[in-house]
Amino acid sequence: MFPILRLTPDMRARYRRLLPIFGIFFLLIVIFVIWFDWNMIKPYAERQVTEKTGREFTIRGDLNVSLSLNPMISAEGISLANAEWGTEQPMLDIGKASFRISLWDLLLGDVVLPEVSISRPRILLEKSEDGKRNWDLKKPEEEVEPPKIGRLALEDGKLIFRDPKTKTDVHVTIFTDSGGDAREMPLNVTAEGTYADLAFTAQALGGQLTSLTDKTKPYPVKARVEIGTTRATAEGTVTGLQELASMNLKLKIEGEDMSALYPIAGIVFFPSPPYEISGNLTHQKTEWAMKGFSGKVGDSDMGGDLVFDTGGERPILRGDVISKVLDLTDLSGMIGARKAPQPQDSPQEKKEKKASIEAQKDRLLPDQEFRVDRLRAMDADVKFTGESIRNKELPVEHVHTHLKVDNGLMTIDPLNFAVAGGNIVGSVMINGREEIPTADIKIDLKRLQLRKLFPKMELTHGSAGLIGGATRIKAHGKSVGGLLASADGRFSLIMSGGQISNMILEIIGLDAGEVIKFLFAGDKNVPVRCAVVDYAITKGVMATETFVIDTTDTNILGEGRISLLDEAIEMKLSPEPKDFSILSLRTPVHIAGTFKHPKVYPDKMLAIRVGAAVVLGVLATPLAALIPLIETGPGEDSDCKALIASVKQPLKTKKGHEKKTEAKKPVVEKP
């Protein structure tokens, strides 16, 4: 039991005498507080904040205190100076700020502000050209815990962010809505300006501002952003907003070109057609992940997992992407294909794209320069699979690639296309660590079926045969066209066994008698003994070393050159028939012109023959007119084994020494 305090009559008398004194003292305190000019302590408050921050702090208006158990303190015209290098003063300006402070919690050692109201704040956040930040204030001598805030009201807030290095200037309006429909997400944010030199607009809703100070509580957000031609919507939560400790957002992003994401997010993609991607974006530590995403790029569906990690020496993109139905034209940006002007382009951009296409109109090989700076900006390790191909006119069945980038060194290995019942398998290495990229390209053709390779050509519907080949190229250049224009290496093709349409051979040989016969009697197949095409490539010029198509009917011999530099063709195909045709008009055929505009024409010998036939037709009997057309068939069977062996081994000079080429001759297996 607690003892009961009993007052004696003397003690009661003493307290009665002191009570008026306490009352008068309390009344004097109240009168002092009421009549005290709190502006007198402004210099002290300004001096304290200035010393703590290292920036001049001023209160231009009145400082007032309203007494209660939770006193209300208010001040008008508050400002904090900007850094000396800043574009304008001040960094912070507040029309009016007021807050209540809990005296009971203050006595217990905690700073609790049950109510905070800020009116007409204007905040300027900016960076200098050399990366300095104006919000980096003088560091406190000891860590100070921020006050606990109960309710925060924000009226007509303005925030400006400037970064000249990234060409960013954004103006933000912020206010809180206390209406019934906005209780869960009372924060309203609208923004406009330029981001990375692109037009920028945004609208966002957020939760209670007071929860922003809780680093462990997920903060709800809902936003819509448009930067240039890229548009995104997001809804979810962010934890530890200041440090972006973690994030979980439903994200939908769409735009005209995925390469436009680089100046926005620092992620490098190849140029693409319009796209739309959606998925769940999560963030932990240095990883940003979008797993299980789905969407479309051009006419191709896309899905899979992507992880962007910023924690290393360079950021790295890892992923596994699958397209169930792939349109190959959607990958044209990988080889530098030019894009036509788009409706959203500025007049200057449209003009530049039109000029670019005009300069390329007579060329076929892409000459769009590689973005070497982007190749060095980010590493990558991404697998891509196209399970089926939309382009039915092409004999491609599916594709699988694995792309890696390491400090500007890009490798695509494997590069595997299932084509015409066989495979085109290879690897591509482009070294972008130097100012002018170098390349090492290896491509093998394995068991391609001729009838599937040209499915729409009626002349080969009955054709058969397997095609194999190999290409080895070393080159340097700033574009795909530039690489090929400087290439050294070898290109070889072999067709072994099978059959090829006799119609094709007769057309090449201009054997009119045979053509007439097959037009009425139908096409037939002629066994192919051997076909070998072998080009040595030196400084972008392909020169024939072997070009023989050997069948039981005709030998076709080829010679000439193909320039990858000028995109020019100078080839001659000479048919050597093994049969006898009284209506033979066999003569060499020339292929000339450019890749974009090739020309095919017969050798002048044909004109001489036809001219002689016309003369004889006038001067002699009709039978005499057939004399120049008689051909005895001088072609001899080629040794297929020897031809194949010549491709497998380096060519020999007449003295028996190996013929030197700029790159080692590839070994081609018989298909």
Side-chain angles (χ1 to χ4, degrees), residues 34 154 156 233 283 345 381 384 410 420 434 456 482 493 566 571 639:
I34 293 175
L154 188 63
D156 192 21
T233 58
H283 171 55
D345 290 341
D381 186 350
F384 175 77
M410 182 179 73
E434 303 295 334
K456 289 195 173 183
L493 285 178
D566 302 325
M571 288 294 299
D639 187 345

Side-chain angles (χ1 to χ4, degrees), residues 201-203 222-235 250-255 261 264 275 277 281:
T201 60
Q203 299 84 39
K222 185 177 182 180
R224 179 184 299 273
V225 181
E226 185 169 341
I227 306 176
T229 60
T230 303
R231 301 168 297 280
T233 58
E235 183 173 1
K250 291 181 180 179
L251 177 67
K252 179 181 178 182
I253 184 168
E254 57 185 328
L261 290 173
I264 299 171
Y275 67 94
I277 301 293
L281 177 66

Side-chain angles (χ1 to χ4, degrees), residues 38-51:
W38 291 96
N39 289 317
M40 293 175 63
I41 68 171
K42 283 199 309 182
Y44 173 78
E46 292 172 341
R47 185 168 59 253
Q48 289 296 311
V49 176
T50 299
E51 290 178 358

Side-chain angles (χ1 to χ4, degrees), residues 326-635:
L326 174 67
D327 189 327
L328 290 176
T329 58
D330 295 332
L331 303 180
S332 61
M334 295 183 64
I335 60 172
R338 296 176 183 269
K339 294 191 70 173
Q342 303 296 313
Q344 70 277 0
D345 290 341
S346 66
Q348 181 62 27
E349 288 174 331
K350 290 180 179 180
K351 182 179 179 181
E352 291 174 356
K353 287 185 177 181
K354 286 181 180 179
S356 176
I357 292 175
E358 179 67 20
Q360 180 75 2
K361 67 177 183 179
D362 294 324
R363 298 182 65 87
L364 190 63
L365 299 178
D367 64 349
Q368 191 85 343
E369 291 191 358
F370 301 127
R371 298 297 300 268
V372 179
D373 57 332
R374 297 190 179 185
L375 200 60
R376 301 169 187 164
M378 184 193 83
D379 292 345
D381 186 350
V382 179
K383 296 178 181 179
F384 175 77
T385 301
E387 293 183 345
S388 63
I389 306 302
R390 184 184 301 275
N391 313 77
K392 299 302 181 183
E393 69 277 8
L394 299 175
V396 183
E397 297 159 14
H398 63 261
V399 59
H400 174 71
T401 65
H402 188 178
L403 181 146
K404 291 184 178 181
V405 179
D406 179 16
N407 191 24
L409 179 65
M410 182 179 73
T411 59
I412 304 177
D413 187 11
L415 179 64
N416 190 345
F417 289 85
V419 178
N423 292 87
I424 298 178
V425 182
S427 64
V428 176
M429 184 278 291
I430 297 179
N431 187 350
R433 295 173 180 173
E434 303 295 334
E435 190 62 29
I436 299 179
T438 59
D440 191 340
I441 302 172
K442 301 176 182 179
I443 298 177
D444 293 330
L445 282 65
K446 299 181 177 181
R447 302 181 67 82
L448 306 188
Q449 299 177 25
L450 185 64
R451 60 184 177 82
K452 290 185 177 181
L453 196 59
F454 304 104
K456 289 195 173 183
M457 290 182 61
E458 295 183 2
L459 298 178
T460 61
H461 271 193
S463 301
L466 297 177
I467 298 175
T471 299
R472 302 290 185 267
I473 289 176
K474 291 184 181 294
H476 61 275
K478 294 185 177 182
S479 65
V480 171
L483 289 175
L484 294 177
S486 66
D488 293 320
R490 207 161 195 98
F491 171 78
S492 305
L493 285 178
I494 295 176
M495 178 172 169
S496 179
Q499 295 177 325
I500 190 170
S501 169
N502 198 5
M503 177 78 76
I504 297 176
L505 301 181
E506 297 301 337
I507 290 177
I508 292 177
L510 296 179
D511 192 329
E514 295 288 356
V515 171
I516 291 174
K517 180 180 70 174
F518 292 132
L519 281 175
F520 290 95
D523 195 7
K524 74 172 185 177
N525 293 335
V526 173
V528 174
R529 292 164 52 83
C530 181
V532 177
V533 176
D534 184 29
Y535 284 90
I537 307 174
T538 305
K539 294 182 179 180
V541 177
M542 301 173 60
T544 55
E545 298 205 351
T546 304
F547 192 116
V548 178
I549 302 176
D550 176 22
T551 77
T552 56
D553 182 86
T554 302
N555 281 350
I556 299 177
L557 308 179
E559 59 180 326
R561 60 197 294 274
I562 299 174
S563 174
L564 302 176
L565 175 62
D566 302 325
E567 299 190 11
I569 307 171
E570 298 178 8
M571 288 294 299
K572 177 182 178 181
L573 304 182
S574 302
E576 298 290 346
K578 299 178 182 179
D579 59 350
F580 178 82
S581 175
I582 194 170
L583 295 179
S584 176
L585 291 175
R586 297 178 185 271
T587 187
V589 173
H590 292 266
I591 303 175
T594 64
F595 296 172
K596 197 78 172 282
H597 305 290
K599 299 177 182 178
V600 179
Y601 59 91
D603 195 274
K604 293 181 180 179
M605 186 186 302
L606 177 60
I608 297 173
R609 287 182 174 181
V610 174
V614 172
V615 173
L616 290 174
V618 174
L619 299 179
T621 64
L623 184 60
L626 300 179
I627 294 176
L629 302 180
I630 296 175
E631 190 165 328
T632 58

Side-chain angles (χ1 to χ4, degrees), residues 258-259 261-262 265-270 277 281-282 286-291 293 304-321 374-384 401-411:
M258 294 187 72
S259 66
L261 290 173
Y262 175 68
I267 305 177
V268 180
F269 288 101
F270 289 108
I277 301 293
L281 177 66
T282 60
T286 61
E287 286 191 354
W288 301 74
M290 199 167 180
K291 296 184 178 180
F293 76 86
D305 302 327
L306 288 174
V307 177
F308 188 60
D309 191 346
T310 60
E313 182 180 352
R314 290 172 304 279
I316 181 171
L317 179 68
R318 299 185 181 92
D320 195 341
V321 182
R374 297 190 179 185
L375 200 60
R376 301 169 187 164
M378 184 193 83
D379 292 345
D381 186 350
V382 179
K383 296 178 181 179
F384 175 77
T401 65
H402 188 178
L403 181 146
K404 291 184 178 181
V405 179
D406 179 16
N407 191 24
L409 179 65
M410 182 179 73
T411 59

Side-chain angles (χ1 to χ4, degrees), residues 6-83:
R6 298 182 182 276
L7 297 177
T8 64
D10 291 338
M11 294 175 63
R12 291 193 187 99
R14 189 180 302 115
Y15 278 117
R16 280 196 295 267
R17 289 193 298 268
L18 292 176
L19 187 59
I21 298 174
F22 285 128
I24 294 171
F25 181 73
F26 179 75
L27 182 61
L28 290 174
I29 293 176
V30 172
I31 294 173
F32 174 79
V33 171
I34 293 175
W35 293 98
F36 179 73
D37 186 1
W38 291 96
N39 289 317
M40 293 175 63
I41 68 171
K42 283 199 309 182
Y44 173 78
E46 292 172 341
R47 185 168 59 253
Q48 289 296 311
V49 176
T50 299
E51 290 178 358
K52 297 292 185 182
T53 62
R55 304 276 182 84
E56 183 180 2
F57 177 77
T58 58
I59 303 175
R60 301 186 304 275
D62 291 333
L63 177 63
N64 293 309
V65 177
S66 300
L67 283 183
S68 68
L69 291 178
N70 295 324
M72 173 70 78
I73 301 173
S74 63
E76 298 180 356
I78 301 172
S79 66
L80 181 67
N82 197 3

